[in-house]
Amino acid sequence: MKTPVSETRLNAFVDSELSPSEAALVAEAVAADPTLAKRVVRLHKIKAALAAFGDDLPVPELPQPAPHRRTARGRLVASGAIAATALLLLVSVSVPVSAPEQGAADLPRLAQHDLWLSTTTEAGSLELPRGFEWMGPVMRASGLQLVHSHSHDDIMHFGFKGANSCRLSLFVATSATRDTALQVTLSDQVQHAQWQTGRLAFEMIARDMAPARFATVATGLQQGSREHQAESKLRIALLESARLPCLI
Amino acid sequence: MHGDTEQTWLLEARRKLFGYSCALCSDLPGAEDLYQDTVLRAMTAGSVPRDAVAYRVWLFRIMRNLWIDRLRADGRLPIFDDAAEIDGLSNGHADDHVVNALAVRQAFASLSKAHRDILALVDICGFSYAEAAQTLEVPIGTIMSRLSSARAALAARMEDEKNVIALPLRRSARRIGEGG
């Protein structure tokens, strides 16, 4: 008998806070239960919507620490025009209209993904390059195989293809400065996910992929990248400790 | 003291810090005040964490403490009901309509202070559970239950508001691929 997934665990799964074994169990349950899969998608969408909270408001200038500091009220008067503008913005975004679909302007890599979609010549199944083997189990479990691999300007483009010609792009750049959480944006036209782990910035794009499937693949890859990063750090630490001077 | 490194960390965190402030306060002038006071407090602090992660937690904790001080002064302290049962996300018709970013924000604004607090830290500021636990000085288990409870409340509000606000759905005519 299957153990029901608690709401707390499902939230932790979406937040990539479960251990690999726990995450695997939840992923299995999600894959087997369409209702659960829809709840995962909905949680991802809520997270994505909240992630941008306040991004449309101008951030106030950093105050200068000075002996004669203006009071908070004084600053408010001085920044009245900015506040009024921001308030207008806040009111305007509160108008109950549907959020615009994510377009090409928001996703610079979408054009690269579309360019790849338009190509007809493809090699068969490719091997994942060295350093990215950790993606293998996740992609195999998801029924996706690597059919395209291209590197340009320190950005790697991996193209994966499913049994029914469903295609997914994964872009990996070495431009990350710090770890960031997984952000998933799902619409009917475009599915998009991004996160950063260590020095690597990941961006995943698909069109017409079932949102639940896309979100599950993204969660699996993000967790895989974090675990791989942790293993690498451990390996480096072990190697460094092995270089300690001899005692005798 | 606040050096160049700390100033860089502050600049990197300011967008999320302001987002947290907007999430905690119900009005924009209040959010600006809270943000400015937090930054000033951080920049003039005698002792500053020397680690980037610890600095971020410290910075957001300053903001949260200032916010709680203000609420306490007004006699409006948030109630953290960690024993409350989690209803879970509605399984009814919730899945049938598009999650609208603006609807989420409207529902968020109507949540309790305690729920806004935890959602802001994890979903808006991108804190891990461990960082959120450090900031709020509670166990990770408490973070998990508060978060589940807050998201369930958010989903319930969205269900309520769906009946009041007309959200034009933009469904594509294109068929979504079921398989690979």
Side-chain angles (χ1 to χ4, degrees):
Chain A
M1 186 182 155
K2 280 188 295 181
T3 312
V5 180
S6 73
E7 202 59 37
T8 310
R9 280 180 80 207
L10 202 62
N11 275 278
F13 174 72
V14 169
D15 291 328
S16 307
E17 292 276 354
L18 291 179
S19 68
S21 55
E22 279 182 308
L25 285 175
V26 175
E28 201 179 316
V30 169
D33 182 350
T35 310
L36 205 56
K38 282 182 181 174
R39 282 163 62 196
V40 168
V41 170
R42 189 165 163 77
L43 282 171
H44 272 299
K45 286 183 175 180
I46 287 174
K47 263 185 85 71
L50 284 179
F53 193 95
D55 282 1
D56 44 2
L57 297 176
V59 181
E61 290 297 312
L62 290 183
Q64 296 299 318
H68 301 293
R69 181 195 153 203
R70 279 190 291 170
T71 62
R73 235 5 85 189
R75 286 196 311 274
L76 182 63
V77 172
S79 61
I82 297 171
T85 311
L87 196 59
L88 271 174
L89 267 171
L90 189 66
V91 170
S92 66
V93 298
S94 300
V95 175
V97 293
S98 190
E101 296 288 356
Q102 202 154 14
D106 306 321
L107 300 175
R109 305 235 185 282
L110 186 59
Q112 274 175 271
H113 175 69
D114 287 342
L115 183 67
W116 171 55
L117 291 186
S118 68
T119 58
T120 50
T121 50
E122 255 166 18
S125 181
L126 301 173
E127 290 290 318
L128 282 161
R130 201 172 165 193
F132 291 96
E133 302 93 337
W134 55 269
M135 289 197 285
V138 177
M139 301 318 262
R140 273 195 298 278
S142 310
L144 295 163
Q145 59 176 344
L146 183 70
V147 294
H148 173 79
S149 178
H150 178 70
S151 179
H152 182 65
D153 285 346
D154 291 336
I155 297 171
M156 296 202 70
H157 178 191
F158 297 116
F160 295 91
K161 192 174 172 183
N164 295 332
S165 299
C166 170
R167 296 210 227 179
L168 178 144
S169 279
L170 179 71
F171 297 93
V172 186
T174 52
S175 56
T177 51
R178 65 182 183 88
D179 288 7
T180 62
L182 173 67
Q183 284 184 26
V184 181
T185 311
L186 302 165
S187 74
D188 284 1
Q189 282 78 30
V190 181
Q191 297 80 50
H192 178 255
Q194 61 184 17
W195 72 95
Q196 294 183 9
T197 304
R199 283 179 56 247
L200 300 180
F202 295 85
E203 194 170 346
M204 202 173 114
I205 300 177
R207 284 186 184 275
D208 291 352
M209 182 178 258
R213 187 179 183 208
F214 183 87
T216 306
V217 174
T219 307
L221 278 182
Q222 192 246 1
Q223 286 179 344
S225 66
R226 282 200 327 185
E227 285 153 22
H228 175 70
Q229 172 76 7
E231 280 172 18
S232 301
K233 278 185 182 169
L234 177 66
R235 224 175 290 130
I236 290 167
L238 287 170
L239 287 170
E240 281 177 351
S241 67
R243 290 172 55 195
L244 289 174
C246 300
L247 293 173
I248 50 171
Chain B
M1 283 295 289
H2 226 252
D4 288 346
T5 310
E6 291 78 17
Q7 189 72 7
T8 307
W9 292 338
L10 180 62
L11 284 169
E12 282 174 1
R14 70 191 192 119
R15 162 64 62 189
K16 291 296 179 192
L17 191 66
F18 186 54
Y20 186 46
S21 186
C22 289
L24 294 179
C25 301
S26 49
D27 63 308
L28 191 60
E32 285 191 333
D33 260 10
L34 181 61
Y35 169 80
Q36 299 261 13
D37 286 346
T38 302
V39 172
L40 263 178
R41 186 73 67 95
M43 290 168 78
T44 55
S47 168
V48 178
R50 298 295 172 207
D51 166 70
V53 174
Y55 180 87
R56 200 160 78 106
V57 169
W58 172 79
L59 188 64
F60 281 77
R61 196 188 283 168
I62 290 177
M63 175 169 281
R64 188 168 181 277
N65 288 343
L66 283 172
W67 173 64
I68 287 181
D69 285 349
R70 287 177 186 192
L71 293 177
R72 188 180 286 123
D74 294 344
R76 298 184 293 126
L77 269 182
I79 299 161
F80 299 99
D81 188 5
D82 293 329
E85 262 186 46
I86 299 162
D87 294 333
L89 282 182
S90 162
N91 290 324
H93 302 293
D95 303 322
D96 298 335
H97 78 111
V98 173
V99 174
N100 180 298
L102 297 178
V104 170
R105 291 192 204 186
Q106 281 181 327
F108 179 83
S110 70
L111 288 178
S112 70
K113 295 182 184 72
H115 283 157
R116 291 207 311 266
D117 186 21
I118 185 67
L119 283 176
L121 278 177
V122 175
D123 286 346
I124 299 176
C125 305
F127 273 42
S128 67
Y129 286 4
E131 288 172 335
Q134 235 181 313
T135 306
L136 305 188
E137 295 176 304
V138 295
I140 286 183
T142 306
I143 295 295
M144 291 172 79
S145 59
R146 278 188 192 176
L147 197 59
S148 295
S149 166
R151 286 194 183 135
L154 185 68
R157 291 294 167 94
M158 288 173 66
E159 280 294 285
D160 291 345
E161 289 180 11
K162 192 179 66 161
N163 299 324
V164 181
I165 302 165
L167 295 172
L169 302 182
R170 290 174 47 167
R171 284 208 180 276
S172 163
R174 295 176 71 173
R175 186 172 173 276
I176 297 203
E178 294 296 330

